[in-house]
Amino acid sequence: MWPELRAGLSGWLGPRRTIWLIGTFLVQLYSVPARANAPLNYLVGAGPRNVSTLTWGVLIISIIVVVVITGLLFFATLKSWNRPASPIWKDRELVPRATNPVAVVYAGLILSTAVLLGVTIWTMMTLADVAAPPSKPTVSIEVTGHEWWWEIRYLNSDPSQIFTTANEIHIPVGEPVAVHLQSADVIHSFWVPALSGKTDLIPGQINKTWILADRAGTFRGQCAEYCGLQHAHMGLKVIATSKADFEAWRKNQLQSESEKSIGSAGQNVFMQKCAVCHTVRGTRAGGRVGPDLTHLMTRTTIAAGTLPNRPGYLSGWIADPQHVKPGSKMPRLQIDGQQLAEVRTYLEALN
Amino acid sequence: MTEIEYDRVPKVAEASGRPELSARLRSFWESKPGLYGWLATVDHKTLGIRYIVTAFVFLGLGGIEALIMRIQLAQPNEHVLTPEEYNQLFTMHGITMILWYALPILTGFSVYLQPLLLGCRDMALPRLNAFTYWVFLFSGIFLYTSFLIGAAPDAGWFNYVPLASIEQDPGPNIDFYAMANIFLGISTTLGGVNFIVTILRFRAPGMSINRLPIMSWGTLTISVASVLSIPAVSLAFFLLWMDRHFGTHFFDPATGGQPLLWQHLFWLWGHPWVYIIVLPALSMVSQALPVCCRRPLVGYSLVALATVLTMVLGFGVWLHHMFATGLPTMALAFFSAVSLVIAIPSAVSLFAWLATIWTGRPDFTTAFYFFAGFIIVFVIGGVSGFMTASVPVDWQLTDTYFVVAHIHYVLIGWNLFAVLGALYHWFPKMSGRMLDETLGKISFWFVFIGFNVGFFPMHISGLLGMPRRIYTYSPEMGWSTLNLITSIGSFVLAIGLLITLVNVVRSLRVGRIAGPNPWDADTLEWSTSSPPPPYNFAVIPTVASRSPLWEARLGEPQRSQPERGFVLDHGKETLGTTMLDAVPDVIVKMPEDSLVPLLLSLALAALFTTMMLEAWWWLAASAIAILVITVAWLWPRQSLGEIEGSTP
């Protein structure tokens, strides 16, 4: 059966058809990630193009190598498949030492060296390109990793322009943003796949990176360095908007809550139960353990990207954070139904 | 005993037809029956099999841990495990597979096969060989007692500080790992020393270094690397233990310590270790594949050089685990280049295997199936490593499932496939019986398909951004189907391995009798009976080529003499030869069976346990016990010729 099959296969599989098949396969492959509905997918990004080009380049080289070597192995094996072999090993002929195609090994050596050196040079060029942002960053932010959320501080030479938020970063489209990374406890890693690769947040040092979104949109990020119990639930978001929208957002964030004159039962509960750990600027609440909750309602998610920021989820989270994120530093509070409703009403007013 | 004993020129004789010689040698070399012989034996064949069995037990434990995790990850938002349970399981899975399975299984094959490949009667230091086995076993038991008290290590096998610091992880979890790692390091380092001496000084006469079996090149290379790299990790864990219990600040940034110091020390060992746990496996393929292909290996010298070169370069790539830690671009560029260049020697081996198959006449045995499957997964694991070597690409790939796929293609692909092929190849030598070929091929297809179905989709979930070490994920991330496929594949793989286990158990009783050389192979281990007698060779063979059993049939004059050579029968003796040319040099007196290695490893186990418990007086007692037993071990003995005197 094998010789016919082989003859049939090699007759059908001419060089042109082989190239066509591999080409179609690669095109199909390219479209998979574009179609895939995966927010952390980075093969279709909005960041530096040269990195995704390099990624596709080495991916395609890899696939070609696997296909070619598997093909060589397949034909090398097939060659002997039907050869009748004596059941007694001693009677099987040996290949004399004179047949020693070391040249094949040298050819493989030269070929792989050439490819690897080429990729090394390509890597170095890309690395040099992305080591620094294309122009001077207009916005600088400081990201501090906590178990298990992100503290975001917008830096400015004018102290009155500095403000703190959590888990969601707003940036203007088309402008490089400098990101200073530090950690309050263990090592985390800052990663917004569509915009840039990973940079670790390491206690005792400040790492610097930059991001640039070439189109408007919401880009998901995630802690990428194992950081303990809730490493799985340490997400973040980057929201890229027009310069005007960004400025409007920034102006709003700069306002303190007191200016909006909130006073309520909910505020009292908040001061008793929550203020030790959380800050609401302009009020007595000044805790630094958990996220700054000023303008909480301008964020789309809570608990570091774990739940949508909607009233029902907010109540659920406050009532039993340990159910949603077991091990979270936010304790299960002694709080009754009425207090829960009141504090939620208070939080809903923080916009 | 007089000096003349060592300087005597032994008589040369034929091995065959001398039952009285066999009986005499057996009286010197055979372990006593019963419990004493079982505990005291220093026979490398017994110890090699123990290593293999124990390592497979750890493979089973690590495998069970993996399957439980795959149930948790099969669907989004599962609640089979709590986060803490998941973290302990993935940590223990990594530690078990990388440290207590991957090298020990290869050590087992080497301990069993090296003396036979080299044509000598035991490892150079037989008592040390027993000691390293016991230490390996006890350190593994020590590690697994952490499960019994529900406090297994949980900071990952890479154990980064500050997550592993006393403030973040106050339980005994990390201490178990720290102590067990240092404990195991003793076994690995001393085992390396033993292999170096054995391979350099115990080769058969005529087996000059350029005739060394290719498998011995792998073992020799990684033994040197073990001795050089393990101090870094032992030191790292010792410093961590000091930080945790005595308030030193090596890794604490608040007081001037450096979390990155841990990463440097860890990967300074950790990356060479990756090559340490694959190179012997590759060299087993280079040894056994040509036998299946009925020809000598193509490009022996290039493959041997590639093995050594990989290891040398392997010491210069550790920073590629740290591309995202904010190091200067210049350092990243250098390490990125070396990480790409290190693929060149692997390509050399690859093309040597392909040329061997292409110009050979392969026989489609189960071993060949595993080796052929190995080549495919070798290439996939290789190219994914090549992708991660490129810094800007790695900034995306690192710490995603792409890397999980990569390490499993390397550890299962490069290590386990080679090991399974080697098992089917050498099992007849070890047991005297053949493994069943039909069951073997069924096992191969389950393993090959299960492995690829299980692990290939991880590349894609990694490209779709799934981070490593997360205990669950939400359905909107788009990873659900891929994870379900992965979980199914992992169970198919497990079934394939169980079939081989059944095959082994069954064949031990009813397998076809193998005879000395069932595959008609070319190296010395096949010139003696299966299983070999306790003394391996009745006379020390003489070697004149790389394929001593094939010379005549390769169209060359038969100059090697596997059946004729020195008769060493004045007690437990073997021959020492010179390092490069293997010229007979010295008659080596070998030690008897002894309980001392077992006692010393028990005392060491006591030492590490008391360190764990911070029971200082008991610790002092253990230290004194270790000292006393070591002195007893080293006490000069007449039978080893360490004191002058008359012949006993």
Side-chain angles (χ1 to χ4, degrees), chain A:
Chain A
M1 187 192 87
W2 272 106
E4 296 87 61
L5 193 67
R6 208 170 74 202
L9 195 68
S10 51
W12 182 78
L13 201 70
R16 285 179 74 173
R17 193 164 256 155
T18 310
I19 292 166
W20 178 81
L21 267 178
I22 294 175
T24 316
F25 173 73
L26 290 177
V27 169
Q28 284 299 315
L29 186 90
Y30 186 81
S31 66
V32 167
R35 287 201 308 264
N37 186 18
L40 287 178
N41 168 19
Y42 48 81
L43 288 174
V44 280
R49 286 274 173 266
N50 42 10
V51 174
S52 36
T53 312
L54 177 64
T55 307
W56 278 105
V58 291
L59 184 60
I60 287 165
I61 292 172
S62 299
I63 291 167
I64 292 171
V65 169
V66 172
V67 170
V68 168
I69 299 291
T70 308
L72 284 175
L73 175 70
F74 186 69
F75 284 107
T77 313
L78 213 58
K79 204 164 61 68
S80 304
W81 186 261
N82 256 13
R83 189 174 45 76
S86 161
I88 302 153
W89 282 73
K90 270 269 181 231
D91 297 345
R92 297 183 193 182
E93 214 180 326
L94 295 178
V95 179
R97 208 189 277 283
T99 317
N100 196 18
V102 188
V104 174
V105 186
Y106 279 112
L109 174 68
I110 292 164
L111 196 67
S112 44
T113 306
V115 172
L116 287 165
L117 283 182
V119 172
T120 305
I121 293 166
W122 190 2
T123 295
M124 297 308 144
M125 287 164 59
T126 311
L127 187 59
D129 277 353
V130 299
S135 59
K136 197 169 177 307
T138 49
V139 179
S140 291
I141 56 174
E142 178 189 273
V143 176
T144 309
H146 292 263
E147 288 173 325
W148 290 275
W149 59 282
W150 308 86
E151 180 181 342
I152 319 283
R153 221 153 74 94
Y154 280 75
L155 303 176
N156 204 301
S157 51
D158 173 3
S160 70
Q161 299 293 302
I162 296 176
F163 63 92
T164 305
T165 175
N167 300 327
E168 291 183 11
I169 299 172
H170 286 247
I171 60 170
V173 169
E175 293 181 24
V177 174
V179 185
H180 301 213
L181 301 162
Q182 59 185 29
S183 170
D185 36 53
V186 301
I187 300 177
H188 304 277
S189 195
F190 178 82
W191 184 39
V192 186
L195 303 182
S196 86
K198 302 175 188 74
T199 310
D200 292 351
L201 298 82
I202 302 173
Q205 69 185 66
I206 295 173
N207 282 340
K208 290 182 181 160
T209 184
W210 57 277
I211 51 176
L212 186 154
D214 62 10
R215 60 180 155 85
T218 301
F219 306 100
R220 260 198 81 113
Q222 166 77 31
C223 174
E225 184 61 83
Y226 172 61
C227 56
L229 289 175
Q230 283 302 328
H231 169 54
H233 291 131
M234 190 169 163
L236 79 154
K237 274 188 179 175
V238 174
I239 297 132
T241 53
S242 68
K243 183 85 182 168
D245 286 354
F246 171 74
E247 282 303 329
W249 175 83
R250 199 174 72 88
K251 289 230 161 56
N252 181 48
Q253 294 291 319
L254 278 167
Q255 288 178 6
S256 291
E257 292 296 341
S258 61
E259 296 158 28
K260 297 174 183 172
S261 68
I262 307 165
S264 65
Q267 186 166 22
N268 292 335
V269 178
F270 188 88
M271 293 306 152
Q272 278 173 29
K273 305 276 184 187
C274 317
V276 178
C277 298
H278 293 283
T279 295
V280 176
R281 261 176 287 133
T283 71
R284 279 179 292 125
R288 297 289 312 272
V289 179
D292 187 318
L293 297 181
T294 322
H295 307 287
L296 174 65
M297 284 302 129
T298 61
R299 300 174 203 162
T300 56
T301 61
I302 53 171
T306 311
L307 297 172
N309 189 7
R310 291 204 289 271
Y313 290 107
L314 199 53
S315 294
W317 170 249
I318 299 165
D320 192 358
Q322 296 299 323
H323 177 75
V324 181
K325 274 173 91 164
S328 159
K329 307 284 176 189
M330 177 153 162
R332 186 176 292 165
L333 299 163
Q334 298 299 318
I335 191 166
D336 62 32
Q338 192 192 340
Q339 288 175 318
L340 181 63
E342 284 168 357
V343 82
R344 195 187 78 192
T345 311
Y346 172 71
L347 292 174
E348 282 180 79
L350 301 175
N351 51 30

Side-chain angles (χ1 to χ4, degrees), chain B residues 521-570:
Chain B
D522 59 338
T523 37
L524 288 177
E525 79 270 32
W526 302 104
S527 70
T528 184
S529 62
S530 301
Y535 47 87
N536 290 358
F537 303 96
V539 300
I540 303 296
T542 317
V543 170
S545 78
R546 286 173 201 150
S547 302
L549 308 189
W550 275 0
E551 284 164 17
R553 298 171 56 213
L554 288 172
E556 296 164 3
Q558 176 75 39
R559 293 176 301 156
S560 297
Q561 297 176 322
E563 296 287 318
R564 184 180 164 78
F566 292 133
V567 182
L568 295 172
D569 60 347
H570 296 198

Side-chain angles (χ1 to χ4, degrees), chain B residues 54-271:
Chain B
T54 313
F56 272 129
V57 169
F58 281 116
L59 178 75
L61 291 171
I64 291 166
E65 287 152 12
L67 293 178
I68 299 171
M69 288 191 287
R70 282 321 314 177
I71 295 171
Q72 162 77 10
L73 291 176
Q75 293 176 53
N77 292 334
E78 279 269 15
H79 289 287
V80 179
L81 298 169
T82 65
E84 176 59 24
E85 285 165 354
Y86 185 87
N87 291 349
Q88 293 193 8
L89 279 178
F90 90 71
T91 302
M92 284 295 278
H93 169 73
I95 295 173
T96 306
M97 293 306 202
I98 294 168
L99 286 148
W100 272 269
Y101 158 74
L103 183 66
I105 188 72
L106 302 174
T107 305
F109 276 96
S110 290
V111 163
Y112 192 98
L113 290 171
Q114 288 302 341
L116 290 161
L117 280 163
L118 300 174
C120 71
R121 284 173 174 167
D122 205 330
M123 295 282 288
L125 307 160
R127 287 176 296 178
L128 194 70
N129 199 22
F131 176 70
T132 54
Y133 169 73
W134 291 120
V135 169
F136 155 58
L137 176 67
F138 293 148
S139 63
I141 294 172
F142 179 90
L143 177 73
Y144 266 81
T145 52
S146 63
F147 263 135
L148 298 181
I149 63 165
D154 55 359
W157 82 280
F158 48 95
N159 205 53
Y160 279 2
V161 289
L163 193 60
S165 67
I166 192 92
E167 293 79 15
Q168 289 285 333
D169 205 331
N173 313 50
I174 304 300
D175 296 317
F176 271 112
Y177 184 23
M179 293 294 109
N181 187 298
I182 298 173
F183 196 5
L184 179 69
I186 295 171
S187 165
T188 317
T189 308
L190 294 175
V193 170
N194 208 349
F195 282 127
I196 295 169
V197 182
T198 306
I199 293 171
L200 290 182
R201 291 302 304 274
F202 281 66
R203 304 196 302 273
M207 190 187 279
S208 49
I209 201 84
N210 58 334
R211 291 173 185 158
L212 191 61
I214 197 75
M215 185 181 160
S216 306
W217 274 109
T219 306
L220 177 62
T221 305
I222 67 111
S223 297
V224 175
S226 297
V227 172
L228 293 178
S229 65
I230 287 170
V233 77
S234 299
L235 175 70
F237 276 103
F238 183 71
L239 298 183
L240 178 63
W241 185 70
M242 296 278 284
D243 265 17
R244 289 176 59 87
H245 296 282
F246 296 98
T248 56
H249 304 285
F250 292 104
F251 306 119
D252 178 9
T255 46
Q258 259 290 357
L260 278 188
L261 173 64
W262 171 269
Q263 297 192 20
H264 281 291
L265 286 174
F266 187 86
W267 293 117
L268 200 55
W269 158 81
H271 207 87

